[in-house]
Amino acid sequence: MSAAYATFGLAPAIRAGGVLADGGYQVHRDFVDFVVDGRPLLFQLSDLDAVSPLASDIPPAIFTEQVRALLLEADPPLPDGRFVIYGCPECADLGCGAVTAVIERDGEDYIWRDFAWQTDEHADLELNGYQGVGPFRFHGAEYRAALTSLSEGLSRRRVLLIGARVAVLAKLAAALRTIGIGADITQDARAVPAEELRGYGAVAFGRAVGEAERAAVLQAFERAGVEVARVDGLAPIVPLLVAQIEHALDRSPLPQRRLTTLAAAEGAAEVEVTSACRVRITAYRLDRLYRTHAREVFDGVLEPGRHRVPLDPRAVKGEAYVVARTTGGVLAAPVTGGRRG
């Protein structure tokens, strides 16, 4: 095969979950994405809501089997030598659709070719093939080194919640667990054993927690030898806090993220994306009685670059915030410049 050589790498990625404005939710998934020529392969497949088979929440034995399959040390799961490259983030059922490709050896090299969207056992390349994607030829040593480094799999993401409003913390913990993020509540992390602290990827503080208390908690993590992400809660709004925590747990390299910037003033939100993708922007506000109001202010596909999205003044009256989501990331920001109350 005459395919030109491409570089092969792996990078942590997420499928952003979340509590949605309509009360529904989608599951958060941590996974390892394939990086081809320095760019996530998923970005070459338009706005696809999918994850690779290398996900953090599958049993270790299955994770290892997925790695072995990609190394061609196990039989392909589909006819014609085809492997699932990306699948449904909710159930991984082929009936929901999956991106598949033929993986084969050519001497020491590995080749990925004939990418297609597949919903049953056999792929129709003429009807559902990804034209212009691949074939990719990878140097065997680079390819094997990247995959074998995953032998221990991924650690599950957990967050430690600290705040004064127990009811809000309980709702937040329940929401996080619903979308697949572990959450625990404590009033004093200094009493938590070091081995338990090492299981957290982030610590989230409510607005009522003082700076001295926050510093003491962070020192406890430092003594335990843990590099933990700090989340300073913007407001007691559960979907907003979920978005902040998901962003904090995102370990994907900054140059490989789709959603890179979000800022909002009273009249508009500014958002920047690195590849064409669907973006949903939701506005949240607190009224005088601290009741939460939510409104979806934008839902559409944006091309790479910076965009200005108008905001309905009624949606961001008073104390307000916006959350922007793509299939691979989420950002939250306060709305500045508005009048309180």
Side-chain angles (χ1 to χ4, degrees):
M1 171 152 304
S2 59
Y5 278 107
T7 62
F8 180 85
L10 301 168
I14 69 168
R15 184 267 193 154
V19 180
L20 307 180
D22 62 3
Y25 67 90
Q26 60 186 30
V27 175
H28 173 98
R29 300 293 302 278
D30 289 288
F31 66 100
V32 173
D33 199 4
F34 308 110
V35 180
V36 177
D37 284 336
R39 188 165 179 258
L41 180 58
L42 192 58
F43 289 11
Q44 299 186 39
L45 303 172
S46 188
D47 185 44
L48 183 66
D49 185 12
V51 299
S52 82
L54 305 175
S56 66
D57 54 355
I58 61 176
I62 297 178
F63 187 96
T64 300
E65 191 64 18
Q66 296 287 359
V67 173
R68 291 186 64 244
L70 294 170
L71 289 167
L72 301 183
E73 296 173 358
D75 293 333
L78 298 171
D80 306 318
R82 301 192 72 83
F83 293 80
V84 174
I85 306 300
Y86 296 106
C88 174
E90 298 286 344
C91 66
D93 192 308
L94 185 62
C96 293
V99 177
T100 68
V102 174
I103 301 179
E104 60 188 11
R105 290 282 297 272
D106 183 14
E108 290 297 310
D109 298 339
Y110 288 80
I111 295 173
W112 289 19
R113 62 175 176 85
D114 295 341
F115 287 82
W117 179 254
Q118 193 167 339
T119 56
D120 54 37
E121 284 200 346
H122 295 280
D124 187 333
L125 294 179
E126 290 189 9
L127 182 64
N128 296 315
Y130 281 97
Q131 304 301 321
V133 179
F136 303 115
R137 177 185 289 269
F138 304 118
H139 288 287
E142 178 185 60
Y143 182 89
R144 288 190 298 272
L147 287 168
T148 54
S149 69
L150 295 175
S151 58
E152 295 182 1
L154 297 175
S155 59
R156 291 186 65 101
R157 299 301 187 190
R158 297 187 66 81
V159 60
L160 187 63
L161 308 177
I162 300 175
R165 301 182 65 173
V166 177
V168 173
L169 294 179
K171 290 179 182 178
L172 175 57
L176 289 167
R177 292 168 188 150
T178 297
I179 66 171
I181 297 176
D184 298 300
I185 300 170
T186 187
Q187 297 301 315
D188 186 0
R190 292 169 294 185
V192 180
E195 59 269 21
E196 291 187 24
L197 291 179
R198 296 188 186 104
Y200 295 103
V203 56
F205 299 104
R207 294 198 296 191
V209 180
E211 191 56 44
E213 297 173 79
R214 299 178 192 222
V217 170
L218 295 174
Q219 287 172 4
F221 277 98
E222 186 177 349
R223 287 193 299 270
V226 182
E227 184 176 346
V228 68
R230 169 176 171 168
V231 178
D232 294 309
L234 289 172
I237 301 172
V238 169
L240 175 69
L241 296 171
V242 168
Q244 286 190 265
I245 290 167
E246 283 202 279
H247 174 68
L249 291 175
D250 188 353
R251 296 294 190 264
S252 58
L254 289 176
Q256 295 173 10
R257 298 186 187 185
R258 270 183 166 150
L259 181 61
T260 57
T261 303
L262 175 66
E266 188 175 7
E270 289 194 357
V271 60
E272 185 171 6
V273 295
T274 59
S275 65
C277 58
R278 178 187 177 190
V279 177
R280 289 172 296 164
I281 302 177
T282 305
Y284 297 92
R285 69 179 184 89
L286 293 174
D287 64 19
R288 295 177 183 272
L289 299 178
Y290 278 84
R291 294 171 299 194
T292 299
H293 302 266
R295 183 184 299 182
E296 189 173 89
V297 295
F298 179 80
D299 185 352
V301 175
L302 298 179
E303 295 299 318
R306 184 178 289 266
H307 302 268
R308 184 176 175 85
V309 178
L311 296 175
D312 185 338
R314 293 170 297 179
V316 293
K317 179 183 178 182
E319 183 180 351
Y321 306 86
V322 290
V323 171
R325 290 185 174 276
T326 68
T327 54
V330 59
L331 288 173
V335 178
T336 61
R339 293 184 302 169
R340 299 294 183 187

